[in-house]
Amino acid sequence: MADSGGMPCPYRTIARTAYWRDSVAKILPEDLDPVLNPRFTFSRDTKIATAGSCFAQHIARYLKTVGDNYMVTESGHPSMSDSLKATYNYGTFSARFGNLYTTKQLVQLFDRAYGNFTPVEQPWGTANALIDPFRPAIQPNGFASQIEFDRDREAHFAAVRTMFETMDIFVFTLGLTEGWRSIEDKAMLPVCPGCGAGGSFDPEKYEFVNEKVSDVTANLHAIIERIKSVNSNAKVLLTVSPVPLVATYSPHHALTATTYSKSVLRAAVGEIYDIYDHVDYFPSYEIITGAFNRGAYYGDDLRSVREAGVFHVMKLLFKHYLGMELTSPAGESAPAASDPQLKPSGKAENRASSYIAKVVCEEELLE
Amino acid sequence: MYANFRSGSLSINAGLLSALHRAGAKPDTDVLVSGVQGNHYNAIALLTDGAPFDIHIPGWPRMPADDVPLLPLAVAEEILANELKEFQLFASKQRVLGYRCFMHLSAPPPVPDAEFIRSKLPPLPSGEPPEISSADLRLKLWTMQQKMVRTAVEGHGGILLGPPAGTQDAEGFLKSEFWKDSVHANVNYAALQLNQIHAVMLGLQSDEGQQHG
């Protein structure tokens, strides 16, 4: 009905998915599906690279179980067993870059791989156990010598370049706005030195940063343009990690700091989504954090994501982007796919045995 | 008693046994001499299998090859350790079984000559000529294996008999007069090993004599 003789209320014609009551409050938690109109889909041949915070590892874990879409350009020597590869983080990420918690890390990884940025930060650790400050958890017990460190990093950068240049889809999970960087050249580190992952803290060398929306947006612009410069066909799928901060170095409460950080990331992604047609957003953040599930997707620590939550995310990702129906989570067995041609690989490292989904997360060393 | 560590039956070949007897070894010495499981380093890297690699051991006199991937040393150690799991178990049994002396013959050092190795290998199913890993890589892996085997043997009270004196060249490879095939040493090398065994057993008898004398 028109009010006062004017045009009908514009909300009368919008989709039911635009209404909270119909699309959230009335829906069974496990049936909630906030994904609308994906901008692209994955085919069986699509090469998908993943990077980002700890939560990105779940996407890789699920992709690995159902087919060959998951792209790994630094896969380890063939003589290594699957479990040994997992121990040394070959395949945990598309290349052995470790967790990239901040968008600045991602931009700088690209620049380092292409020789456009050489941080002054030197390896941490001892002469026979060198730790890479930019991927401190990648090599258990460190590298045995400077030669090994240098050669491994060289091979790593080559793998990163191959990833950027040959991937079809880049899935990046934004994790944090807080981080630590070198004062001298602003090289962003994944962890604070001296907090469990190596290095030693020196306030004359390192400074705390907490990125703003404008920082994250600028970084996302930068990485999208850089990727375009080496691979004009690559599409980008952005997600925001739902995992709260382990600890904040800001003067705020951990809860408000987490809200700030995730809000900044989510807002920046929203801005970027509106600018680039080849960039899409997948709402894993909303699926896990949404009030509709009444916190059921978090573990007892209210931070770790339960496998049920990961499964909800992956179920929708596979449904909308791969056209597949996942019927069981990877936590109990390899996920069952409705497409008979996409059989689970059954590899041991792909079977998460834990109730709480386990991932490699250096930031947890803060606790 | 010369006994097989599992079945208890005789496991030393007749020729060796005869030589031991001629050398004065007493049949009740309770000695176990093993030469098992020496080829693991070759299983890992005799052939490149299309994926050549190198490793760098700190302090090694030569730099690793720069035209192949460098496998982290810790990864190579874990691969080798995994290969040697069965040997670890074997070594751990010796003290339990109560031998007075457990000697283990180490694998002969690698042959440096790729052409010689290739000439001794059977044809590959693919028909392609086998690509031999670099001699230096094989020597590094053999050295690592030696260290692991020594730790296992000596950790369980045994004696590791390394390559007999004079069988290695200046770099540590097997001298050509001891080459047999791609991975084994010849009878001249074996004769020197017998001398090593003999020397240890004479030492045991000497000890025995002192104890009972």
Side-chain angles (χ1 to χ4, degrees), chain A residues 277-318:
Chain A
D277 288 341
H278 72 291
V279 176
D280 204 355
Y281 171 68
F282 183 77
S284 52
Y285 175 74
E286 286 83 348
I287 294 167
I288 301 299
T289 63
F292 73 93
N293 68 49
R294 291 168 171 77
Y297 288 159
Y298 284 108
D300 292 341
D301 62 359
L302 304 179
R303 182 172 181 274
S304 306
V305 178
R306 293 184 193 275
E307 190 63 43
V310 176
F311 176 61
H312 193 155
V313 169
M314 297 306 152
K315 187 175 67 173
L316 297 182
L317 181 77
F318 277 58

Side-chain angles (χ1 to χ4, degrees), chain A residues 77 88 139 145 147-148 151, chain B residues 51 53 56 63 65 68 73 78:
Chain A
H77 193 268
Y88 284 82
Q139 178 86 4
S145 63
I147 291 170
E148 186 176 291
R151 289 281 298 273
Chain B
F53 68 93
H56 176 62
M63 294 295 285
V68 297
L73 182 62
E78 294 214 32

Side-chain angles (χ1 to χ4, degrees), chain A residues 142-204:
Chain A
F143 295 93
S145 63
Q146 187 68 48
I147 291 170
E148 186 176 291
F149 180 94
D150 293 341
R151 289 281 298 273
D152 194 86
R153 185 181 269 186
E154 188 182 308
H156 168 58
F157 285 161
V160 170
R161 292 193 298 271
T162 301
M163 180 192 80
F164 280 127
E165 291 165 15
T166 61
M167 66 191 182
D168 296 317
I169 309 276
F170 182 52
V171 182
F172 183 68
T173 301
L174 291 81
L176 299 175
T177 55
E178 291 190 17
W180 293 83
R181 68 185 177 192
S182 165
I183 292 173
E184 185 172 351
D185 60 4
K186 310 303 180 196
M188 200 77 187
L189 300 166
V191 293
C192 179
C195 292
S200 57
F201 185 69
D202 180 351
E204 301 297 315

Side-chain angles (χ1 to χ4, degrees), chain A residues 151, chain B residues 53-55 62-70 134 136 140:
Chain A
R151 289 281 298 273
Chain B
F53 68 93
D54 205 347
I55 54 174
R62 293 170 291 280
M63 294 295 285
D66 55 13
D67 56 349
V68 297
L70 194 70
S134 80
D136 206 37
K140 282 183 267 194

Side-chain angles (χ1 to χ4, degrees), chain B residues 181-200:
Chain B
D181 57 29
S182 54
V183 296
H184 294 102
N186 61 20
V187 291
N188 297 327
Y189 184 92
L192 295 174
Q193 285 185 307
L194 278 177
N195 289 343
Q196 288 179 299
I197 296 167
H198 182 202
V200 174

